Amino acid sequence: RPHTVDRKAGAPGRQTSGSGSPTESWIIGSAMTSIDPSILADDPLLHEVWDRLGRPPRCRITGGYIRDRLLGRQSNDLDLAVDGDADDAAPPARRLGRALGVRPHLLGTPPHQVWRIETPELKVELWPLGALTHQEDILRRDFTCNALSWELPDGPLVDLVEGIPDIEVGRLRAISRSHLEDDPVRLLRGPRFL
């Protein structure tokens, strides 16, 4: 079946920060890239990881993995968002750890905790959303190119911030100026994304 892009928020081409002012953007590349969401539906690594997690419901791949795959790049760094808290995410994290022969590690303090499962070939971070909605999780990210999500296993690709058009034209656009001010390292890492 065809995969569609679900864009649900904001007017195309205009984003605002939490204060209502337009966010900043930079053109990093000039070549047009054609985005094909089916690359995610056919991605064997996504399906393997989701199977090894025990196929948790409403499990979404987010962030740089989607950006890289849509740009035709390989990646072994997966950020997955799941409903519930760290205790709810523990069984899938342990299941994946056992399958990979490693021990998952719980990092952070409530309510900002993440399960990390890492081997030399693969890094998976399982982010429990806690009280956050899917939309709130997306809107707290740094750049629009990192704010896409794909619900495993079959999508759709969700773009709430017009990240796909930005990827297509090589534009790096902040979701919120305050996100960059709160964590300036994000700004330094940004140019390598596109």
Side-chain angles (χ1 to χ4, degrees):
R1 89 184 159 134
H3 296 280
T4 58
V5 175
D6 186 4
R7 292 186 178 108
K8 295 183 179 174
R14 176 158 174 80
Q15 295 296 312
T16 59
S17 67
S19 66
S21 61
T23 58
E24 309 235 359
S25 65
W26 304 268
I27 301 295
I28 301 297
S30 60
M32 291 292 288
T33 301
S34 177
I35 300 299
D36 179 8
S38 69
I39 196 166
L40 299 169
D42 300 330
D43 189 308
L45 180 58
L46 288 181
H47 288 279
E48 179 182 353
V49 168
W50 187 62
D51 283 340
R52 290 181 171 192
L53 285 167
R55 298 181 173 210
R58 293 174 303 286
C59 180
R60 296 175 187 92
I61 180 79
T62 61
Y65 186 86
I66 294 176
R67 176 202 65 233
D68 287 347
R69 296 300 292 133
L70 293 176
L71 287 169
R73 300 176 188 155
Q74 294 300 315
S75 180
N76 65 349
D77 186 349
L78 285 76
D79 291 335
L80 299 166
V82 294
D83 290 341
D85 60 19
D87 290 336
D88 298 321
R94 290 185 184 121
R95 205 173 286 121
L96 178 60
R98 274 192 306 275
L100 297 175
V102 297
R103 183 174 175 214
H105 298 280
L106 182 61
L107 306 174
T109 58
H112 306 290
Q113 292 180 291
V114 59
W115 284 99
R116 181 175 291 165
I117 306 100
E118 191 167 8
T119 71
E121 299 82 26
L122 179 67
K123 181 176 113 181
V124 176
E125 290 188 345
L126 194 58
W127 291 88
L129 291 179
L132 290 178
T133 67
H134 177 237
Q135 183 171 354
E136 289 167 334
D137 177 50
I138 292 301
L139 295 177
R140 70 181 177 157
R141 297 185 180 274
D142 51 8
F143 299 103
T144 60
C145 65
N146 293 333
L148 306 172
S149 72
W150 176 269
E151 187 166 335
L152 296 169
D154 297 320
L157 179 59
V158 176
D159 180 10
L160 301 177
V161 293
E162 299 296 322
I164 290 172
D166 288 343
I167 290 172
E168 289 174 331
V169 298
R171 181 176 36 240
L172 185 63
R173 189 161 45 96
I175 290 179
S176 166
R177 181 182 202 106
S178 67
H179 293 178
L180 300 180
E181 291 170 348
D182 292 344
D183 185 2
V185 174
R186 289 175 159 183
L187 187 57
L188 297 174
R189 294 180 336 159
R192 72 180 172 100
F193 294 147
L194 297 174

